[in-house]
């Protein structure tokens, strides 16, 4: 028996979303034309509330709904990778289970992705409701990601996007199991010169409590950006440090020359740091250029 391949697959990672998941799935199935062939894959990531029972009931209600289950919570990114791995469509849509994203835009984003490798729903449109405490670190993170990518990135970690499944799977080995999945795939796509479109969307307050911890996750995002940036664009990440060490070395040398009239150990160490960082950046860049991705 031949099973027709869907036009696109919608992957929804889900963890303790008993208050929103039914409304989200009903909304997804109602907003897409019945003329379009698609599937919905919900990954229940070890939920401990009534989410699993609700999803079981929903499978009898929606024929195109497929529920996958992690026996224990493995993380947002792990849920996405499980769903993407089981997706049959060439295009994969990811969205959240909490009702924050305008899922009615999905058909439009899918159509836009015909000419791109990834279309990101950038939360810069009208009616964007966003926590102020999360806006502060995002200003820095957005500027940093934009510098590494070499272009303006209006939204670094939107959870509503469409991308080509085969392209995303090429990056599976570096995509994390955490919330950092979206930042990583954004940087990976941009630094490997994939065609990416940022389409403005709205964003509303979530149902239930957020799983994001601002301080902890901001630190994780910083480490992730540094790692991913060094992997794909080492010169963009490391050269600012080279210039900082070089400036400090020059200032220390001037102080030693005109004030101490003697070369200090501090100046020597700063020059060594400048040289070593520059050599590391060049070596990483050479390896990056010779590696087939």
């Amino acid at each position: 028996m031949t099973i027709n391949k869907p036009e696109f697959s919608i992957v929804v990672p889900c963890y303790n979303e008993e208050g929103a998941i039914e409304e989200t799935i009903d909304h997804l199935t109602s907003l897409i034309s019945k003329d379009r062939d698609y599937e919905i894959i919900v990954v229940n990531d070890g939920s401990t509330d009534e989410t699993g029972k609700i999803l079981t009931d929903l499978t009898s209600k929606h024929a195109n709904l497929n529920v996958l289950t992690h026996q224990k919570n493995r993380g947002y990114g792990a849920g996405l990778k499980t769903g993407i791995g089981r997706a049959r469509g060439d295009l994969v849509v990811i969205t959240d289970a909490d009702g924050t994203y305008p899922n009615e835009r999905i058909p439009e984003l899918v159509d836009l992705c015909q000419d791109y490798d990834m279309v990101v729903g950038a939360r810069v449109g009208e009616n964007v409701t966003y926590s102020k405490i999360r806006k502060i670190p995002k200003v820095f993170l957005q500027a940093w990601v934009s510098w590494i990518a070499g272009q303006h990135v209006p939204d670094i970690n939107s959870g509503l996007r469409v991308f080509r499944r085969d392209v995303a799977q090429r990056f599976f080995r570096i995509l994390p199991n955490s919330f950092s999945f979206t930042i990583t795939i954004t940087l990976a796509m941009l630094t490997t010169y994939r065609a990416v479109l940022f389409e403005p969307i709205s964003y509303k307050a979530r149902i239930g409590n957020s799983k994001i911890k601002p301080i902890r996750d901001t630190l994780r995002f910083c480490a992730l950006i540094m790692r991913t940036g060094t992997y794909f664009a080492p010169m963009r990440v490391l050269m600012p440090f080279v210039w900082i060490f070089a400036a400090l070395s020059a200032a220390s040398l001037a102080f030693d020359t005109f004030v101490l009239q003697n070369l200090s150990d501090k100046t020597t160490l700063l020059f060594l740091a400048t040289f070593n960082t520059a050599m590391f950046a060049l070596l990483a860049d050479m390896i990056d250029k010779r590696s087939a991705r």
Side-chain angles (χ1 to χ4, degrees):
M1 180 178 178
T2 302
I3 300 177
N4 292 332
K5 183 191 223 180
E7 178 188 353
F8 57 94
S9 303
I10 304 174
V11 177
V12 185
C14 182
Y15 175 61
N16 289 348
E17 295 290 356
E18 62 181 5
I21 188 60
E22 184 172 4
E23 180 182 342
T24 298
I25 299 304
D26 287 343
H27 186 216
L28 283 171
T29 56
S30 67
L31 59 85
I32 302 174
S33 169
K34 298 190 184 306
D35 295 332
R36 306 191 76 158
D37 190 8
Y38 68 99
E39 64 177 350
I40 300 175
I41 300 174
V42 177
V43 182
N44 181 13
D45 189 28
S47 296
T48 56
D49 60 3
E50 294 298 311
T51 297
K53 182 180 182 301
I54 294 171
L55 287 172
T56 299
D57 294 339
L58 286 172
T59 55
S60 60
K61 181 179 177 182
H62 302 293
N64 60 347
L65 174 63
N66 183 16
V67 177
L68 307 176
T69 301
H70 291 166
Q71 294 305 312
K72 64 178 182 177
N73 181 251
R74 293 167 53 190
Y76 170 79
L80 286 175
K81 286 191 281 188
T82 295
I84 295 167
R86 291 285 292 274
R88 294 184 293 119
D90 290 333
L91 293 178
V92 174
V93 182
I94 65 170
T95 189
D96 286 356
D98 57 20
T100 54
Y101 288 99
N103 290 327
E104 62 275 8
R105 299 285 304 276
I106 286 177
E108 177 189 349
L109 298 179
V110 168
D111 291 338
L112 288 171
C113 200
Q114 302 301 323
D115 299 320
Y116 294 88
D117 292 309
M118 183 168 71
V119 174
V120 180
R123 293 165 291 182
V124 294
E126 298 179 354
N127 302 318
V128 175
T129 303
Y130 210 69
S131 168
K132 290 184 178 180
I133 196 170
R134 290 170 61 186
K135 282 183 179 180
I136 298 172
K138 268 187 174 291
V139 172
F140 164 72
L141 294 175
Q142 181 180 330
W144 193 14
V145 169
S146 297
W147 162 257
I148 294 171
Q151 68 178 78
H152 176 60
V153 180
D155 193 338
I156 60 176
N157 64 338
S158 170
L160 176 60
R161 60 183 68 203
V162 187
F163 46 77
R164 299 192 179 278
R165 177 170 49 84
D166 60 333
V167 176
Q169 287 179 319
R170 296 178 188 178
F171 302 120
F172 260 30
R173 68 189 184 279
I174 66 161
L175 293 176
N177 291 337
S178 63
F179 281 105
S180 305
F181 179 101
T182 46
I183 289 183
T184 307
I185 198 170
T186 298
L187 268 173
M189 289 279 194
L190 292 174
T191 54
T192 54
Y193 309 106
R194 302 288 178 179
V196 178
L197 173 68
F198 291 92
E199 178 68 13
I201 62 169
S202 60
Y203 185 74
K204 61 184 179 181
R206 63 165 281 132
I207 299 172
N209 297 321
S210 174
K211 313 297 190 304
I212 293 285
K213 305 297 182 184
I215 297 176
R216 181 199 66 184
D217 289 317
T218 296
L219 293 175
R220 288 182 177 177
F221 289 159
C222 287
L224 188 281
I225 291 169
M226 175 69 75
R227 187 190 74 179
T228 308
T230 304
Y231 187 90
F232 287 108
M235 295 296 283
R236 300 287 292 184
V237 173
L238 296 173
M239 285 310 293
F241 292 99
V242 174
W243 290 116
I244 290 171
F245 283 135
L248 291 174
S249 299
S252 181
L253 179 62
F255 181 81
D256 289 352
T257 301
F258 298 107
V259 178
L260 299 181
Q261 296 183 344
N262 186 29
L263 184 64
S264 67
D265 292 340
K266 174 186 63 177
T267 300
T268 303
L269 290 174
L270 284 171
F271 271 112
L272 285 174
T274 303
F275 178 79
N276 288 337
T277 306
M279 289 301 100
F280 180 78
L282 291 171
L283 179 61
D285 188 61
M286 181 183 69
I287 294 172
D288 174 64
K289 294 295 186 293
R290 296 187 63 180
S291 298
R293 292 194 293 264

